[in-house]
Amino acid sequence: MTNHNYASKPEHGADFGVLAYLVTAAAVLLLMMSFGLLMRMEQAQIINMGPMWFYQLMTLHGAGMVGIAGIAGAAVMWHFLRQYVDLSKGIFVANLALFLVGVVMILASVLLGNFHGAWTFLYPMPSKSMGMWSQEAAALFMGGLLVIGVGFVLLHLDVARAIVARYGNFARALGWPQLFGKDDGNAPPPTVVASTMVTIVNLTGLVVGASILTMMLVNLYVPSFAIDALLAKGMIYFFGHVFINATIYMAVIAVYEILPRYTQRPWKANKIFLASWTASTLMVMFIFPHHLLMDFAFPTWMLVMGHVIGYLNTFPILVVTGYGALMIVYRSGIRWDMASRLLFVSLFGWAAGAMPAFIDGTITVNLVMHNTLWVPGHFHTYLLLGMVAMVFGFMSYLGKRDQQTDDSLLGRAAFWGFTAGTLGFTLSFLYSGKESVARRYAAHLPEWVPYDRIGSLFAALVVAASLLFIIRFLSRLGRAGRDFPRASLAHGTAL
Ligand code: HEM
């Protein structure tokens, strides 16, 4: 079927900018994973760095991981979206440059200025450090986040411009004419639908995030400029939750684009697909109060909204994507290699990781579980075995010259090591949560330590497997940059 909405430019090898994003992502991811391992080993009493270092590393790990997930997700989105719309390379590179500036500011704030108020920088903690860090350190941290946020705002504005130039408006890019009218088969491809959703929610979240960061920066130097603490918390959680959720909605584009190339079957944006993305566009913006269910000071209606929407939003995109993947893989004769395996397992990781959040989203459960390691158990599952697996799958796909070659023994070991390591690591968090082990504690009680030790072992396996993926990707970089033909579906003709 050839049609106006689906016609795309042929896929090229990765752009230099995409490779720069991925190399940055690989380096930061590995560094942050090592920090995570050190934190887990501290809790396991295998090493002894002390609480100050623990919280500094926790701050870097939280901010670094969330930021780098955004960068990696943006690389996936940009790489595939430019087949359909005209994106600006300059803006894409500017976002990476601003990200790196922000990273240097955050590193300086934490490593030189001892800032350790966590990536959630809750008001008024940055300005009330009780002598633990200076005003300048807090300003550098929040300024760094602001610079990174500005980069992402520019990127999404450019994506918005390009999508509107091609499809006329967001409603058409989300496939509303086909969703609410007759499905004439001309709905935009999944990549465009997903990118539109991410652009809408992330622009909203980033503007709110930049506003609260600016307000807190002013408050830092002009304390009489007081901020309502509850409003500040709501704004920070809205921004943080939308941003981290958006990373997986960008990364899943790799699944929509690459699995069809392996199975020679199209991924169609049918009515159910379009309905689920539209529903999530709205719900992702109203779900964040499920992080605030313990805050009695929030209005009850907000908490009820968090509870109900938390339940509802768990399913649409996940089910549609999981079902879609099963359908295009079933009896397709797919060739399983590192990329296709990682992309397929990523859907399992996403689904499995959503379940603990679904349980924790129940108010009565939340009151007991939310401040335990159950919550890191939830988000590490969907981010590591979901989001990061999608990114590693994308890297592996880019670096592969010939789809017919088999993976090396080391490659297969890396895949199974990553999968088993992540499951063991996240289950150790979840089990600790079930045992009421508190979250964000540098020092653990003796009875918690056995779980921490098991968790540390699996975490080391995850780091080792990730190192192998990354070395493999870097060694194939030259190849990924080349403009080589792929055994792929040509969008616009085959679809
Ligand atoms: C080898 C991989 C990883 C290890 C060993 C690791 C380890 C840890 C540990 C020990 C904590 C503190 C848990 C607590 O006591 O509350 C933590 C928190 C966190 N991790 Fe990871 N992690 C890994 C990967 C990731 C990834 C891939 C992401 C996101 C893409 C991520 C995002 C976070 C966030 C947002 C926090 C919360 C920080 C906070 O509470 O302020 N981690 N991680």
Side-chain angles (χ1 to χ4, degrees):
M1 178 210 322
T2 308
N3 63 50
H4 166 72
N5 283 336
Y6 227 139
S8 68
K9 299 176 228 161
E11 187 194 354
H12 296 291
D15 177 86
F16 177 75
V18 173
L19 295 183
Y21 267 62
L22 292 178
V23 171
T24 309
V28 177
L29 200 61
L30 216 48
L31 184 67
M32 294 304 138
M33 280 184 171
S34 312
F35 288 174
L37 176 60
L38 290 177
M39 282 192 283
R40 207 71 187 106
M41 287 167 68
E42 174 77 3
Q43 292 170 332
Q45 297 173 11
I46 298 171
I47 56 171
N48 183 10
M49 61 176 143
M52 179 82 144
W53 267 109
F54 179 90
Y55 288 111
Q56 286 185 205
L57 291 190
M58 192 187 85
T59 303
L60 283 179
H61 178 85
M65 280 299 194
V66 173
I68 210 60
I71 285 291
V76 173
M77 176 178 73
W78 200 86
H79 175 80
F80 290 112
L81 184 63
R82 78 186 170 115
Q83 294 173 92
Y84 309 104
V85 300
D86 278 321
L87 296 167
S88 154
K89 265 191 198 179
I91 298 275
F92 185 56
V93 174
N95 179 38
L96 184 62
L98 285 170
F99 177 80
L100 293 173
V101 172
V103 167
V104 171
M105 290 169 73
I106 291 172
L107 283 173
S109 140
V110 174
L111 297 179
L112 304 178
N114 293 337
F115 180 81
H116 51 280
W119 81 280
T120 40
F121 60 93
L122 271 189
Y123 177 81
M125 188 159 56
S127 59
K128 301 220 176 339
S129 74
M130 303 178 80
M132 302 297 272
W133 59 78
S134 64
Q135 227 177 6
E136 286 64 38
L140 261 182
F141 186 81
M142 293 191 289
L145 289 183
L146 194 57
V147 169
I148 292 175
V150 168
F152 275 98
V153 167
L154 290 178
L155 180 76
H156 285 299
L157 282 177
D158 182 57
V159 169
R161 176 204 51 76
I163 287 177
V164 170
R166 173 77 194 269
Y167 293 92
N169 55 42
F170 283 159
R172 290 187 57 205
L174 283 172
W176 281 10
Q178 288 76 18
L179 173 61
F180 297 113
K182 185 176 169 328
D183 186 356
D184 53 5
N186 280 349
T191 299
V192 172
V193 177
S195 306
T196 307
M197 180 270 206
V198 168
T199 298
I200 295 171
V201 301
N202 245 0
L203 276 177
T204 317
L206 285 162
V207 169
V208 172
S211 310
I212 186 61
L213 280 165
T214 312
M215 280 153 69
M216 285 176 67
L217 279 166
V218 174
N219 168 271
L220 202 56
Y221 291 98
V222 188
S224 60
F225 179 82
I227 305 171
D228 181 309
L230 208 57
L231 176 72
K233 185 169 185 185
M235 290 175 78
I236 291 172
Y237 273 77
F238 174 75
F239 143 74
H241 198 266
V242 166
F243 190 82
I244 193 64
N245 272 204
T247 65
I248 200 157
Y249 293 129
M250 291 192 271
V252 75
I253 292 173
V255 176
Y256 294 150
E257 289 279 348
I258 299 173
L259 279 187
R261 288 169 166 82
Y262 273 77
T263 58
Q264 300 292 315
R265 289 176 178 173
W267 196 305
K268 291 203 182 95
N270 57 22
K271 269 191 193 267
I272 297 178
F273 180 94
L274 297 170
S276 66
W277 278 88
T278 288
S280 281
T281 307
L282 286 175
M283 288 198 285
V284 160
M285 293 199 270
F286 295 102
I287 191 179
F288 74 100
H290 76 194
H291 279 276
L292 310 171
L293 298 178
M294 297 173 85
D295 293 17
F296 55 86
F298 267 98
T300 310
W301 66 264
M302 264 184 97
L303 305 185
V304 172
M305 179 177 81
H307 182 136
V308 174
I309 297 194
Y311 271 13
L312 293 179
N313 194 46
T314 307
F315 298 108
I317 294 183
L318 188 58
V319 170
V320 163
T321 305
Y323 181 77
L326 289 175
M327 286 305 100
I328 66 164
V329 164
Y330 182 64
R331 292 196 167 172
S332 65
I334 185 171
R335 186 179 178 86
W336 290 110
D337 64 3
M338 181 96 90
S340 54
R341 281 200 179 105
L342 279 166
L343 291 171
F344 199 71
V345 89
S346 73
L347 297 175
F348 163 74
W350 187 9
M355 290 312 134
F358 184 79
I359 297 169
D360 184 60
T362 310
I363 293 183
T364 42
V365 176
N366 188 282
L367 295 180
V368 185
M369 302 293 275
H370 198 71
N371 278 345
T372 70
L373 284 178
W374 183 263
V375 171
H378 139 63
F379 65 73
H380 280 92
T381 311
Y382 92 84
L383 287 169
L384 259 177
L385 201 53
M387 191 303 155
V388 173
M390 287 170 192
V391 172
F392 283 159
F394 175 59
M395 286 177 172
S396 175
Y397 165 76
L398 282 186
K400 191 153 186 181
R401 187 185 184 93
D402 175 9
Q403 282 201 353
Q404 302 309 315
T405 48
D406 284 328
D407 290 323
S408 64
L409 194 63
L410 208 58
R412 269 177 281 165
F415 171 79
W416 289 111
F418 182 78
T419 307
T422 307
L423 284 173
F425 169 62
T426 51
L427 280 171
S428 81
F429 269 155
L430 289 170
Y431 194 81
S432 304
K434 182 214 153 250
E435 294 292 297
S436 299
V437 177
R439 182 186 168 187
R440 285 181 167 166
Y441 272 28
H444 278 189
L445 294 173
E447 48 272 47
W448 299 347
V449 168
Y451 315 128
D452 303 333
R453 297 210 161 153
I454 295 171
S456 301
L457 272 179
F458 281 111
L461 187 57
V462 177
V463 178
S466 305
L467 185 64
L468 284 179
F469 284 141
I470 287 170
I471 292 176
R472 193 169 177 271
F473 170 68
L474 293 179
S475 67
R476 296 171 178 205
L477 254 190
R479 203 177 292 174
R482 225 174 294 151
D483 200 3
F484 58 88
R486 295 183 186 290
S488 64
L489 287 182
H491 284 283
T493 49
L495 292 186

